[in-house]
């Protein structure tokens, strides 16, 4: 299950562009917590929290416990709008996680034991097809990440969905059955180096 990150936010009384601009002038980012068959909660949040969050791997599946005026709500970051020039956050949307519901979320894939992978030790290259996988999961059991063990893979071997660990209760949102997540590709041949060696052999 995804780790829960607790953050603080303050309530905003008004919606609209004018109220949002006033929030930004105060040095905060306007946001909203929506979903869960409840009324949206308007919030203002420290921009450093948002920046730190989206710069960390797996942020799309990270569960936040947002404390607003003494009340805590669990939610996922659904969208972050950035300033077109400054690249700083100007608005953030959170999806409320209601108990018993299911959500669609992107979960990152972590690859383990690359240093002991037979194919890589023989010169092969890890070719990652999917760094994240979009899935349907219970709102109260969102994986922090999926895991792939590379320790037994050789050159030309594939990692498929059935090989991924941490997928209990999870349904992938793809039309492909047992799709490829990664593969161990054969080492590429340096044609320039090969041509130079051939020339040297011909001249000798």
């Amino acid at each position: 299950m995804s780790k829960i990150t607790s953050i603080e936010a303050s309530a905003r009384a008004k919606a609209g562009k004018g109220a949002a601009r006033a929030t930004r002038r105060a040095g905060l980012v306007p946001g909203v917590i929506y979903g869960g068959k409840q009324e949206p909660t308007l919030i203002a949040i420290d921009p450093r929290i948002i920046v730190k969050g989206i710069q960390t791997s797996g942020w799309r599946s990270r569960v936040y416990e947002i404390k607003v005026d003494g009340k805590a709500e669990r939610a996922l970051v659904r969208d972050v709008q950035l300033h077109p020039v400054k690249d700083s956050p100007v608005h953030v949307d959170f999806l409320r996680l209601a108990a018993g519901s299911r959500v669609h979320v992107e979960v990152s894939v972590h690859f383990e034991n690359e240093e002991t992978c037979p194919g890589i030790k023989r010169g092969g290259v890890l070719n990652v097809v999917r760094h994240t996988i979009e899935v349907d999961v219970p709102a109260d059991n969102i994986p922090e990440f999926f895991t792939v063990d590379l320790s037994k893979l050789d050159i030309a071997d594939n990692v498929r969905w059935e090989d991924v660990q941490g997928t209990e209760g999870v349904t992938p949102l793809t039309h492909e059955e047992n799709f490829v997540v990664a593969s161990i590709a054969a080492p590429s041949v340096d044609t320039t180096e090969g041509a130079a060696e051939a020339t040297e052999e011909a001249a000798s």
Side-chain angles (χ1 to χ4, degrees):
M1 180 177 175
S2 179
K3 293 179 180 178
I4 298 174
T5 302
S6 296
I7 59 176
E8 298 279 348
S10 55
R12 289 192 294 134
K14 297 181 180 179
K17 293 183 178 179
R21 283 195 292 267
T23 299
R24 296 187 193 103
R25 284 196 297 270
L28 300 173
V29 177
V32 61
I33 306 171
Y34 67 91
K37 298 181 180 180
Q38 299 180 38
E39 288 295 319
T41 301
L42 302 177
I43 61 172
I45 191 168
D46 188 327
R48 292 172 295 185
I49 294 175
I50 304 303
V51 171
K52 181 180 179 181
I54 62 177
Q55 288 179 344
T56 306
S57 173
W59 65 271
R60 291 187 180 278
S61 61
R62 182 173 298 108
V63 177
Y64 287 93
E65 185 171 77
I66 308 169
K67 298 178 181 178
V68 184
D69 294 345
K71 181 182 177 181
E73 297 193 83
R74 291 187 177 181
L76 296 171
V77 175
R78 261 301 181 246
D79 184 51
V80 178
Q81 298 175 27
L82 301 176
H83 191 281
V85 177
K86 299 178 182 178
D87 210 31
S88 55
V90 295
H91 194 276
V92 58
D93 291 347
F94 288 93
L95 173 65
R96 184 182 287 113
L97 297 177
S101 66
R102 296 182 70 93
V103 294
H104 293 179
V105 63
E106 286 186 18
V107 179
S108 61
V109 182
H110 289 192
F111 296 89
E112 296 183 343
N113 301 317
E114 188 171 345
E115 67 282 355
T116 60
C117 174
I120 293 177
K121 291 173 74 172
R122 291 177 55 209
V125 178
L126 174 62
N127 176 35
V128 179
V129 179
R130 296 175 184 265
H131 291 276
T132 63
I133 301 174
E134 188 174 7
V135 293
D136 176 87
V137 298
D140 53 358
N141 193 29
I142 298 173
E144 183 179 0
F145 52 81
F146 295 134
T147 304
V148 170
D149 181 6
L150 301 174
S151 63
K152 297 181 180 179
L153 298 184
D154 209 335
I155 291 174
D157 284 346
N158 290 326
V159 176
R160 294 186 176 274
W161 169 248
E162 67 180 9
D163 304 313
V164 178
Q165 300 169 15
T167 62
E168 296 79 9
V170 170
T171 302
L173 297 175
T174 174
H175 298 298
E176 300 176 64
E177 291 187 9
N178 203 24
F179 51 87
V180 174
V181 176
S183 62
I184 304 299
S188 58
V189 178
D190 190 330
T191 56
T192 303
E193 183 179 338
E197 291 177 356
T199 302
E200 289 177 3
E201 289 178 2
S204 60

